[in-house]
């Protein structure tokens, strides 16, 4: 490789590091500032070191946030499951060019083009037109509408790499359509379905502007906003943010590690079969 090529690779590497710092730097700063003493503030320099704010998070804030956290987790899980299920159905309809499938892409992606506050306002007005009080179902609906385009794009990417001859082979060997899907197709596309569900879970867990107009029950983002506007901001909120990120990473790892192990086992089985 020429000297010019090496310098270009180094610049690309430096650019990648800068992007990582830009994206994850605030998280690192938040985590560091959460480990301050009782006199700690929201900015540098740090004042002491300890677990005072983490202790306060569990002893004081927990009672304020418990209901909102449980509600957010419930809605996030429901959103992930529903968005993943809908994305599979819509992606297969789009892939097989069913009648009207050409309209699916712009309709699904319309949620990405609609400002969040307007989507929440529209959902709230729609429920009132139907003479219903917006509540859990309205909140769940607006979260699914927001998460569905991301889940759909994930499934489209997965199905574009899926070889349709696998399905044809199963059908030629006498498998029914349902058996082909559950025993052949589903295990292959399962990582994509899991990714779509995680997209829905994460987007729902952090959603604020689409939620604020459709429910009177606080989710975690709504509760944090209320606390930030009426209370003094303290580093225990940094501890909460750090804890939320750690829990999210643990959930992602717990879901993906078995999938990765299963794929390695399948690859090992194929290698052993090839050697035989």
């Amino acid at each position: 490789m020429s000297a010019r090529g090496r310098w270009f690779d180094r610049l690309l590497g430096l650019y990648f590091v800068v992007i990582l710092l830009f994206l994850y730097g605030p998280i690192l700063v938040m985590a560091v500032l959460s480990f301050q003493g009782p006199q700690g503030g929201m900015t540098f320099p740090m004042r002491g070191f300890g677990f005072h704010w983490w202790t306060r998070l569990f002893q004081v804030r927990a009672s304020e946030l418990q209901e909102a956290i449980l509600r957010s987790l419930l809605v996030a899980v429901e959103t992930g499951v529903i968005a993943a299920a809908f994305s599979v159905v819509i992606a297969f309809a789009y892939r097989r060019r069913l009648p009207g499938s050409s309209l699916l892409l712009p309709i699904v992606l319309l949620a990405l083009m609609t400002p969040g506050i307007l989507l929440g306002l529209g959902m709230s007005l729609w429920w009132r037109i139907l003479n219903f009080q917006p509540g859990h179902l309205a909140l769940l609906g607006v979260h699914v509408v927001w998460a569905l385009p991301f889940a759909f794009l994930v499934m489209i990417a997965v199905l574009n790499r899926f070889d349709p001859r696998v399905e044809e082979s199963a059908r030629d060997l006498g498998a029914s359509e349902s058996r082909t899907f559950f025993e052949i197709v589903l295990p292959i596309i399962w990582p994509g379905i899991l990714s779509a569900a995680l997209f829905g879970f994460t987007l729902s867990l952090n959603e604020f502007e689409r939620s604020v107009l459709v429910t009177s029950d606080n989710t975690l983002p709504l509760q944090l906003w209320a606390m930030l506007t009426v209370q003094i901001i303290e580093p225990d909120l940094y501890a909460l943010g750090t804890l939320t990120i750690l829990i999210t990473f643990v959930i992602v790892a717990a879901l993906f590690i078995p999938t990765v192990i299963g794929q390695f086992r399948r690859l090992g089985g194929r290698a052993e079969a090839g050697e035989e």
Side-chain angles (χ1 to χ4, degrees):
M1 182 182 293
S2 65
R4 183 178 180 182
R6 287 194 296 270
W7 274 106
F8 184 71
D9 288 343
R10 291 171 183 172
L11 287 175
L12 285 179
L14 179 61
Y15 178 73
F16 178 69
V17 171
V18 170
I19 292 298
L20 287 180
L21 289 175
F22 179 78
L23 293 176
Y24 296 102
I27 298 176
L28 294 175
V29 170
M30 180 178 63
V32 170
L33 289 176
S34 68
F35 294 100
Q36 297 188 83
Q39 303 302 319
M42 301 299 290
T43 59
F44 287 106
M46 293 182 63
R47 298 184 178 92
F49 180 84
F51 296 91
H52 170 78
W53 298 108
W54 284 84
T55 303
R56 190 174 189 275
L57 171 65
F58 289 103
Q59 292 182 350
V60 179
R61 295 289 192 186
S63 59
E64 300 179 32
L65 298 172
Q66 180 179 1
E67 185 177 351
I69 291 174
L70 293 177
R71 184 176 295 109
S72 288
L73 289 174
L74 174 62
V75 175
V77 170
E78 292 174 339
T79 300
V81 172
I82 296 174
F86 281 5
S87 67
V88 172
V89 175
I90 297 172
F92 269 99
Y94 183 77
R95 172 174 171 262
R96 295 181 178 181
R97 296 293 186 266
L98 298 180
S101 60
S102 59
L103 299 176
L104 288 176
L105 184 61
I107 291 176
V108 172
L109 296 184
L110 184 62
L112 293 178
M113 308 173 194
T114 305
I117 195 70
L118 294 182
L119 185 61
L121 177 61
M123 180 66 73
S124 178
L125 291 176
W126 173 246
W127 277 80
R128 284 181 168 82
I129 289 174
L130 297 177
N131 290 324
F132 290 107
Q133 184 66 27
H136 180 81
L137 289 180
L139 180 65
L140 178 61
V142 77
H143 282 208
V144 171
V145 171
W146 169 233
L148 184 58
F150 297 93
F152 173 71
L153 292 175
V154 169
M155 290 309 306
I156 285 293
V158 170
L159 293 181
N160 280 339
R161 295 181 296 170
F162 181 78
D163 191 349
R165 291 176 296 182
V166 176
E167 292 180 272
E168 296 172 1
S169 299
R171 298 300 299 275
D172 290 340
L173 293 173
S176 64
E177 188 168 351
S178 60
R179 186 175 182 183
T180 299
F181 178 79
F182 286 106
E183 296 186 12
I184 305 297
V185 178
L186 186 59
I188 296 175
I189 67 173
W190 175 248
I193 298 176
L194 188 58
S195 300
L198 285 174
F199 256 113
F201 177 86
T202 305
L203 290 171
S204 173
L205 194 63
N206 296 284
E207 180 53 44
F208 172 78
E209 60 180 1
R210 293 167 181 80
S211 305
V212 68
L213 294 178
V214 296
T215 181
S216 58
D217 298 324
N218 277 349
T219 60
L220 181 58
L222 296 178
Q223 181 68 27
L224 289 177
W225 174 254
M227 293 167 60
L228 291 173
T229 53
V230 300
Q231 300 179 14
I232 298 175
I233 305 175
E234 296 179 317
D236 54 354
L237 294 182
Y238 285 161
L240 175 62
T242 305
L243 181 63
T244 303
I245 294 168
L246 290 175
I247 292 175
T248 303
F249 283 157
V250 169
I251 293 173
V252 171
L255 292 175
F256 268 109
I257 287 176
T259 302
V260 173
I261 293 175
Q263 289 181 339
F264 275 113
R265 286 179 177 176
R266 284 196 294 269
L267 291 175
R270 292 175 185 174
E272 292 176 0
E275 292 175 0
E276 295 175 357

